[in-house]
Amino acid sequence: MTEAFSTPHIEVRELSIGYGDYVVQHGLSFVVNKGDIFVIMGGNGCGKTTLMRALVGLQRPLQGNVLYSGEDFWGAPEEDRQRLKRRLGILFQSGALWSSLTLADNVALPIAEYTNLTQARIDEIVSFKLALVGLAGFEDFYPSELSGGMKKRASLARAMALDPDILVIDEPSSGLNTEETEDMGFWIEDIKHDLGITVVMVEHDMSLVSRVSDRVLALNLGEVLTLGTPEEVQAHPGVIEAYLGGVEA
């Protein structure tokens, strides 16, 4: 691993998350290194989705800090938070493609909204992003014409539309069969290596986690079980038990 790829990209300091008086996790602290695939996993109700929402600006934490390259996201003015958000590409569990738009139009939407590029240049970028996820030639297809795996990959292309340096992915294997999950892992790995992008991923599929992750944060209800390599996390005696109980947060 090079020195550049051991540089902290995201720092979470003493973060507490929850809803009102209900605290899901208290005092979370961890670092995501630049260029890593960092996975958040755990049983239902442990707060992994709530944590993801706090990382991307969808839910203010109860306390603590989230720093992107040293900038305090939740401590910054709204204008700076919006700027930091544009460094993030987000792939939601549902994919969230607009069903009435073609794949090209779905990927072009954020580019047209946040840049002043010409339509010709936007079209070039869209074709490149779709090619990155194996969907070259599918620009004029609608989401309803695609398989589940292809929809996820189209959503991945849209998440990368603005050239983010951090990609946040919520349950990429959700709704996919084994072959599609393996394909999704391949594209995530490929994007990481080709673009040097940092990936934060919420995921439950242990085979996918083992294959793609550099470091894993395993959560239990109200606590961190362990943080380490995939091998270290799988060897922890509490990981399997934490995977089986609770209510999704």
Side-chain angles (χ1 to χ4, degrees):
M1 182 174 291
T2 65
E3 182 179 351
F5 275 64
S6 62
T7 303
H9 209 170
I10 305 169
E11 295 179 74
V12 172
R13 298 178 180 172
E14 294 297 320
L15 198 73
S16 294
I17 52 175
Y19 305 88
D21 294 332
Y22 177 61
V23 179
V24 182
Q25 290 287 339
H26 177 72
L28 284 173
S29 294
F30 59 88
V31 170
V32 180
N33 290 325
K34 185 174 177 62
D36 272 1
I37 297 180
F38 185 94
V39 174
I40 301 165
M41 59 168 287
N44 291 336
C46 68
K48 54 189 185 294
T49 297
T50 308
L51 173 57
M52 188 203 77
R53 290 172 58 85
L55 293 178
V56 302
L58 292 176
Q59 182 171 332
R60 181 178 286 274
L62 302 177
Q63 65 180 41
N65 308 95
V66 177
L67 286 78
Y68 289 104
S69 300
E71 290 191 74
D72 185 354
F73 180 87
W74 288 107
E78 177 62 25
E79 181 178 348
D80 288 337
R81 284 205 300 272
Q82 291 302 320
R83 172 178 54 80
L84 289 169
K85 280 183 183 180
R86 286 195 285 274
R87 295 177 54 190
L88 307 174
I90 305 171
L91 173 54
F92 295 102
Q93 184 176 150
S94 65
L97 293 171
W98 292 96
S99 60
S100 60
L101 300 180
T102 65
L103 296 195
D105 289 338
N106 265 285
V107 178
L109 196 62
I111 305 173
E113 182 174 353
Y114 291 108
T115 74
N116 295 315
L117 297 175
T118 65
Q119 187 59 51
R121 181 57 181 147
I122 291 174
D123 291 343
E124 290 177 4
I125 294 171
V126 168
S127 293
F128 173 67
K129 301 299 183 183
L130 288 171
L132 276 177
V133 296
L135 292 174
F138 286 85
E139 286 85 353
D140 295 329
F141 280 62
Y142 287 87
S144 61
E145 299 175 299
L146 305 179
S147 68
M150 294 170 77
K151 288 178 186 176
K152 280 286 179 79
R153 285 190 274 138
S155 300
L156 184 58
R158 188 181 61 183
M160 296 188 299
L162 294 174
D163 295 323
D165 53 3
I166 299 170
L167 186 61
V168 182
I169 309 176
D170 188 15
E171 296 280 6
S173 71
S174 177
L176 304 185
N177 60 36
T178 301
E179 183 178 351
E180 289 171 333
T181 297
E182 290 178 356
D183 286 345
M184 193 64 178
F186 167 80
W187 295 113
I188 292 170
E189 283 184 304
D190 209 35
I191 288 165
K192 172 208 166 175
H193 291 300
D194 289 350
L195 303 181
I197 200 167
T198 300
V199 179
V200 178
M201 188 168 80
V202 173
E203 181 52 55
H204 69 279
D205 186 287
M206 281 302 302
S207 63
L208 180 59
V209 172
S210 298
R211 174 182 166 185
V212 306
S213 61
D214 295 291
R215 296 177 75 228
V216 181
L217 174 68
L219 299 176
N220 197 3
L221 293 172
E223 65 176 348
V224 174
L225 277 175
T226 186
L227 171 63
T229 65
E231 295 77 17
E232 290 169 340
V233 168
Q234 288 186 75
H236 192 282
V239 166
I240 299 302
E241 290 81 358
Y243 235 68
L244 299 178
V247 178
E248 184 66 41

